[in-house]
Amino acid sequence: MFRWWYAIKMGWQQRKALKRFLVEAEQRVNGLSELTPERLEADNIAVLILDFDGVLAWHDANTPLPEAERWLKHLCQTIGEQRIALFTNKPKPERIAYFQKHFPLIFIVHSVRRKPYPQGILQVAEYKGISAHRVALLDDRLLTGMLSVCLAYSQGYYFTKPYQHYLRHPCKELFFSSLRVLERCLIRILG
Ligand SMILES: [Mg+2]
């Protein structure tokens, strides 16, 4: 409950910064294939932090979808695993085990407060010894992921077409897609 109050309070404070993710094309990613090594270089990003739910797979999945896995493998081969991190609000043991087995050099954020608190992003920057401004988070939520980006003074890519599976998790997917629509409307009106 406290986290939601924090998100509302900080979301109001950061509403203009959050609107950039809705109106500026360079702040958005409409599909994983749009986020290329060349784009990361052009944006001067040293480390890319990935969200899991919606970005690598549908909600509650244990492993990335095959197309997300292919994209991630290509990215790792091109820029190096050590320049990628994972920050999910749901660090399920199955997910951690998957990354430790297939991408052992990807840094997994742990033991921090969940998004929208900025500590996860700051932990990556500190661990890598770089400025938070050279860290980018790819996330499908405005009032959690993108808000943590604003609070950490880092970079963000707003993922606009998240993976969803309504047959598998009808209630959860409906809940989260309603949240996404609501937060977009609020920021469009207030930002
Ligand atoms: Mg997500």
Side-chain angles (χ1 to χ4, degrees):
M1 195 63 203
F2 188 77
R3 189 170 71 97
W4 284 106
W5 174 239
Y6 179 81
I8 291 166
K9 202 171 64 170
M10 291 298 137
W12 170 256
Q13 201 180 83
Q14 298 289 330
R15 61 195 187 279
K16 291 200 187 306
L18 285 169
K19 196 169 185 178
R20 287 187 300 122
F21 296 108
L22 295 178
V23 298
E24 293 177 12
E26 58 270 28
Q27 306 289 327
R28 294 196 306 266
V29 166
N30 302 309
L32 289 176
S33 60
E34 284 187 12
L35 199 51
T36 60
E38 293 77 17
R39 184 169 171 183
L40 293 173
E41 292 306 316
D43 292 344
N44 196 28
I45 302 302
V47 176
L48 176 68
I49 308 176
L50 302 171
D51 175 37
F52 193 98
D53 293 283
V55 170
L56 295 178
W58 52 70
H59 200 82
D60 234 16
N62 289 332
T63 59
L65 291 171
E67 63 186 85
E69 188 180 57
R70 276 195 296 277
W71 168 81
L72 186 54
K73 269 186 186 158
H74 174 70
L75 196 63
C76 288
Q77 284 161 2
T78 320
I79 69 169
E81 273 184 45
Q82 67 283 356
R83 288 182 58 192
I84 300 169
L86 180 78
F87 182 21
T88 168
N89 277 354
K90 275 195 167 181
K92 297 165 71 176
E94 296 89 346
R95 292 177 177 180
I96 306 297
Y98 168 86
F99 278 92
Q100 284 173 342
K101 182 176 178 196
H102 297 278
F103 300 96
L105 297 181
I106 287 184
F107 178 75
I108 300 172
V109 175
H110 62 90
S111 306
V112 292
R113 299 171 101 180
R114 297 191 290 162
K115 294 170 269 188
Y117 293 103
Q119 280 88 347
I121 296 175
L122 298 174
Q123 186 187 83
V124 172
E126 190 183 347
Y127 178 77
K128 299 289 181 183
I130 54 174
S131 153
H133 196 69
R134 295 203 61 211
V135 174
L137 171 69
L138 175 65
D139 199 294
D140 62 313
R141 291 287 315 283
L142 276 178
L143 286 180
T144 57
M146 293 304 104
L147 182 53
S148 67
V149 161
C150 297
L151 297 172
Y153 298 100
S154 62
Q155 306 289 322
Y157 296 110
Y158 179 45
F159 195 64
T160 59
K161 293 195 170 66
Y163 292 111
Q164 292 165 312
H165 197 315
Y166 280 96
L167 287 178
R168 195 176 280 250
H169 296 294
C171 296
K172 280 181 184 169
E173 294 290 14
L174 190 63
F175 174 72
F176 283 105
S177 66
S178 305
L179 270 185
R180 288 183 193 108
V181 171
L182 182 66
E183 63 189 10
R184 275 201 293 266
C185 288
L186 281 174
I187 294 302
R188 253 185 215 288
I189 294 165
L190 302 172

